[in-house]
Each structure stands twice: as structure tokens, then as C-alpha cells.
Amino acid sequence: MKTKDELPECPVATTVSMIGSKWKLLIIRNLLVRPWRFNELKKDLDGISQKVLTDSLRAMEEDGIITRTVYPEVPPRVEYSLSELGESMRPILDAMWQWGTEYKNTFS
């Protein structure tokens, strides 16, 4: 997790630095529903490369947004889910969903 000194001074810039990429937002969108495995996310997020998915998941885990759970099975099973901090972003994504829906409806 970043220290306070490493974060931008502007709160909006701080939020954007945490979830500002297209892929991070879509990963969070999926994890709001349930925990996902790596390959499930890769299949669902059309166009994401394995490297970008890996890097995004690692960054979000480091930032405390998601948790990575490794189950002691053979073969190992790994699931990604939102942390409490990640869950606190639900209203942000809900607002984005609402705005996007209203915007799309202006073209109907």
C-alpha cells in the first residue's frame, strides 16, 4: 500500500491513480459480483493480455483493493476478491453505471 506522501495531493487524482485504467475498472466490476479466478477474468475481459491482467491484479493487491487467496489444493486454486477497501468503491462504480445508463438512453 502506498504511503500518504506517495499519493497525489488531489483526492480525485488519488482515486484515478488507484482505479484509473480501463482494465482495473472492469476487474473491479467483476469482483463486485463474486470472487473470480485468473482464467475466468481473462476469458471475460475480452482483449486483455495475460501480462496486463497479471500486472493489474498485482497492483490492486499491493494497493489493498483486492485480496488473493491461494487454496492448498493440487493443482493450486487462486481466487481474487475485493477487500474491504475495494468494496468501499462500490458507490463509485454504481454511480458510473448509472451515468453510463442515462447517457446511453439519450440516444434512444
Side-chain angles (χ1 to χ4, degrees), residues 17-79:
S17 75
M18 304 294 277
I19 63 168
S21 80
K22 163 188 170 180
W23 296 116
K24 285 182 180 180
L25 284 169
L26 295 176
I27 291 166
I28 293 169
R29 175 205 63 191
N30 284 17
L31 295 178
L32 283 168
V33 177
R34 63 173 174 85
W36 288 66
R37 295 175 73 174
F38 184 91
N39 285 333
E40 289 180 307
L41 286 167
K42 177 117 176 41
K43 287 177 188 170
D44 190 71
L45 301 172
D46 191 35
I48 193 169
S49 70
Q50 183 165 333
K51 181 185 182 337
V52 170
L53 180 55
T54 298
D55 291 348
S56 297
L57 290 169
R58 284 184 183 154
M60 290 190 297
E61 183 180 13
E62 186 177 302
D63 290 337
I65 296 170
I66 66 169
T67 58
R68 180 178 183 266
T69 305
V70 181
Y71 294 92
E73 301 172 354
V74 178
R77 177 172 53 110
V78 178
E79 285 186 345

Side-chain angles (χ1 to χ4, degrees), residues 1 4 6 10 14-16 18 23 29 31 35 50 58 67 75 80-82 89-90 93 99:
M1 204 174 286
K4 188 175 182 179
E6 294 174 311
C10 171
T14 297
T15 305
V16 169
M18 304 294 277
W23 296 116
R29 175 205 63 191
L31 295 178
Q50 183 165 333
R58 284 184 183 154
T67 58
Y80 297 91
S81 58
L82 289 178
M89 293 182 171
R90 185 177 293 274
L93 271 77
W99 188 90

Side-chain angles (χ1 to χ4, degrees), residues 91-105:
I92 296 168
L93 271 77
D94 287 347
M96 292 175 78
W97 180 280
Q98 180 67 33
W99 188 90
T101 300
E102 290 173 10
Y103 180 76
K104 286 171 67 173
N105 286 340

